[in-house]
């Protein structure tokens, strides 16, 4: 064995543990599910699109639980989670709603879409830079405002209602109502309304 070969084992981190990559894998999987929801939306399969947004939200919750259970929380994972959340719960649901019921709303329909995306970006940025000195009860038991995954699911409610009672026809719901709904959900996400955190539930 030459000198170069003897150095190879030292290049592998001794504390490397592939199990701790599982939360990041779940985050990436949630991102893929969110993008798949957008694909269904582009294809006009609205029920599937809404369901995949819900699945992405479930996976987003699971990656946090798994990270805490495996003691695998990291700055990298937190940043990856935020980027994935913006795509899965900001861009994807906003474009799905736009294609479904706001495309014929003219500039105001697109403006509602943009406002929703902006609200998700602001909410995630505020969450990432939150003051660590806040009271323990507020930090651990409640979020400030509605979390992005919950906001995305709430944004899908018109689609669920349409599929349940109107055979999925978006034109049965006036565009102005959908726009107001998007503004309302965007406001909830950027508000400081205390929202119960599911992190307190012990699985």
């Amino acid at each position: 064995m030459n000198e170069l070969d003897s150095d190879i084992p030292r290049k592998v981190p001794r504390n490397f543990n592939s199990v701790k990559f599982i939360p990041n894998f779940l985050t990436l999987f949630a991102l893929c599910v969110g993008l798949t929801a957008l694909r269904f939306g582009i294809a006009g399969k609205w029920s599937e699109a809404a369901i995949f947004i819900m699945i992405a939200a479930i996976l987003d919750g699971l990656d946090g639980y798994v990270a805490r259970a495996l003691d695998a929380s990291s700055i990298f994972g937190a940043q990856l989670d935020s980027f994935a959340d913006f795509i899965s719960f900001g861009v994807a649901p906003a474009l799905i709603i736009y294609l479904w019921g706001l495309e014929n709303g003219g500039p105001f329909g697109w403006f509602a879409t943009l406002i929703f995306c902006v609200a998700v970006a602001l909410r995630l940025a505020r969450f990432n830079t939150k003051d660590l000195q806040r009271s323990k009860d507020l930090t651990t038991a409640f979020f400030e405002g509605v979390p992005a995954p919950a906001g995305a699911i709430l944004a899908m409610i018109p689609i669920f209602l349409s599929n349940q009672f109107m055979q999925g026809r978006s034109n049965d719901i006036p565009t102005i109502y959908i726009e107001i709904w998007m503004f309302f959900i965007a406001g909830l996400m950027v508000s400081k309304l205390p929202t119960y955190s599911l992190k307190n539930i012990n699985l």
Side-chain angles (χ1 to χ4, degrees):
M1 179 180 295
N2 58 37
E3 182 178 352
L4 181 61
D5 292 335
S6 64
D7 288 337
I8 293 178
R10 298 193 186 99
K11 295 181 181 179
V12 179
R14 295 181 179 179
N15 59 349
F16 177 77
N17 187 349
S18 59
V19 173
K20 292 194 174 184
F21 184 76
I22 293 177
N24 293 334
F25 172 79
L26 289 174
T27 300
L28 293 174
F29 188 35
L31 171 61
C32 293
V33 172
L35 290 173
T36 303
L38 180 56
R39 173 182 177 275
F40 279 118
I42 293 173
K45 298 181 179 180
W46 311 117
S47 295
E48 291 85 348
I51 289 173
F52 267 69
I53 291 294
M54 294 185 64
I55 294 174
I58 293 172
L59 291 171
D60 180 72
L62 285 177
D63 64 3
Y65 282 116
V66 172
R68 289 187 292 274
L70 298 178
D71 191 23
S73 300
S74 66
I75 296 176
F76 174 83
Q79 295 301 314
L80 179 63
D81 185 71
S82 289
F83 287 125
D85 284 359
F86 179 67
I87 298 298
S88 297
F89 310 123
V91 176
L95 290 179
I96 290 170
I97 291 291
Y98 175 78
L99 294 172
W100 174 76
L102 296 177
E103 191 171 11
N104 296 325
F108 291 104
W110 181 242
F111 183 64
T113 304
L114 294 177
I115 288 296
F116 185 88
C117 289
V118 169
V120 173
L122 291 174
R123 196 227 139 46
L124 292 171
R126 185 178 69 186
F127 181 79
N128 289 345
T129 58
K130 65 182 179 178
D131 184 5
L132 299 178
Q133 300 302 320
R134 288 183 303 174
S135 66
K136 181 179 179 180
D137 290 340
L138 181 62
T139 302
T140 59
F142 294 93
F143 290 115
E144 285 187 2
V146 173
I153 293 175
L154 290 174
M156 295 290 106
I157 286 181
I159 293 180
F160 286 122
L161 292 177
S162 177
N163 288 334
Q164 183 68 30
F165 302 108
M166 306 171 191
Q167 291 76 48
R169 299 192 302 267
S170 61
N171 55 2
D172 287 336
I173 302 178
T175 302
I176 185 64
Y177 291 166
I178 303 174
E179 292 169 351
I180 292 174
W181 181 249
M182 294 292 280
F183 286 131
F184 175 67
I185 300 303
L188 288 180
M189 288 191 290
V190 298
S191 72
K192 293 188 177 182
L193 180 70
T195 305
Y196 186 73
S197 172
L198 296 180
K199 293 179 181 179
N200 295 321
I201 298 177
N202 185 7
L203 298 179

